[in-house]
Amino acid sequence: MRIRNQIPQKLGLACAILFCSSTAAAQSYTCELQPNSDCRNADLKGASLQYAQLYESNFEGASLEKANLQYAFLYNSILQGANLQGANLTSASLSHAILKRANMKQANLYHSNLLGADLEGADLQDANMVRANLKGAVLKGANLTSANLKGANLENADLQDAQLQGANFEGAITENCKGCP
């Protein structure tokens, strides 16, 4: 089923396959929320996308602030420069995703799979990354200030030049991790 109406910004998108069209202050976007979607610069602030099948999609520069992406499938997706501040990514699949310079302040990444993800320069300040799988992930220059990485898997991860002040690494797996405390 496709919806081809104007969708108010606050409306939760409960279905994984939707056609979104919106205009906001002289900027518009169109994106079909399904695998391989082109959702660059889309405004999906506060969207409800639990269990959404969005793998291999492009969300570069998109606003997903406070979006609910619990159990979403975003592996191999591009989220470079996306705003995911306060987003709920509990148990989301983000393996091999590109999240360079993404704003993920206060994001909930509890038990998320970020295997081999590229988070270079991402802002993960105050993020909940408890039990997250970051095996082989690149976090060079990332801001992990006050992030909670308790029990996270950082095996073979690269945290060189990352800001780690106040970050909690209790019980984290750090074997062969570059830049880990």
Side-chain angles (χ1 to χ4, degrees):
M1 172 184 249
R2 289 187 177 168
I3 299 173
R4 296 181 185 266
N5 297 340
Q6 297 290 48
I7 298 177
Q9 185 174 345
K10 297 290 183 190
L11 177 66
L13 305 175
C15 182
I17 300 177
L18 290 173
F19 183 87
C20 299
S21 178
S22 179
T23 52
Q27 192 174 41
S28 65
Y29 74 88
T30 301
C31 105
E32 193 166 344
L33 295 172
Q34 63 182 10
N36 302 301
S37 293
D38 183 356
C39 296
R40 285 175 284 185
N41 301 310
D43 185 353
L44 297 166
K45 194 182 296 184
S48 181
L49 299 166
Q50 300 101 313
Y51 299 96
Q53 303 282 326
L54 301 169
Y55 52 88
E56 299 177 350
S57 293
N58 189 344
F59 288 92
E60 185 172 357
S63 177
L64 291 154
E65 186 178 351
K66 296 184 180 176
N68 187 347
L69 292 153
Q70 287 182 340
Y71 302 98
F73 294 90
L74 289 155
Y75 55 87
N76 294 328
S77 289
I78 300 168
L79 293 122
Q80 185 167 312
N83 183 0
L84 292 152
Q85 186 169 350
N88 185 353
L89 293 148
T90 300
S91 297
S93 177
L94 291 152
S95 61
H96 303 285
I98 299 171
L99 292 142
K100 287 183 177 182
R101 296 178 306 283
N103 177 1
M104 302 176 81
K105 285 181 182 177
Q106 301 171 340
N108 186 358
L109 293 151
Y110 174 80
H111 204 260
S112 291
N113 184 7
L114 291 144
L115 173 77
D118 188 346
L119 294 132
E120 187 172 347
D123 191 345
L124 291 149
Q125 185 175 343
D126 296 312
N128 177 12
M129 303 173 82
V130 173
R131 296 186 61 209
N133 181 9
L134 292 152
K135 186 175 182 177
V138 176
L139 292 125
K140 287 181 182 177
N143 182 2
L144 291 162
T145 302
S146 300
N148 189 353
L149 292 125
K150 186 176 180 179
N153 184 352
L154 292 156
E155 184 180 344
N156 297 314
D158 188 348
L159 277 70
Q160 293 180 85
D161 300 318
Q163 298 170 37
L164 305 175
Q165 300 86 355
N168 180 2
F169 286 88
E170 182 185 334
I173 300 167
T174 58
E175 185 178 331
N176 297 319
C177 177
K178 296 176 187 171
C180 281

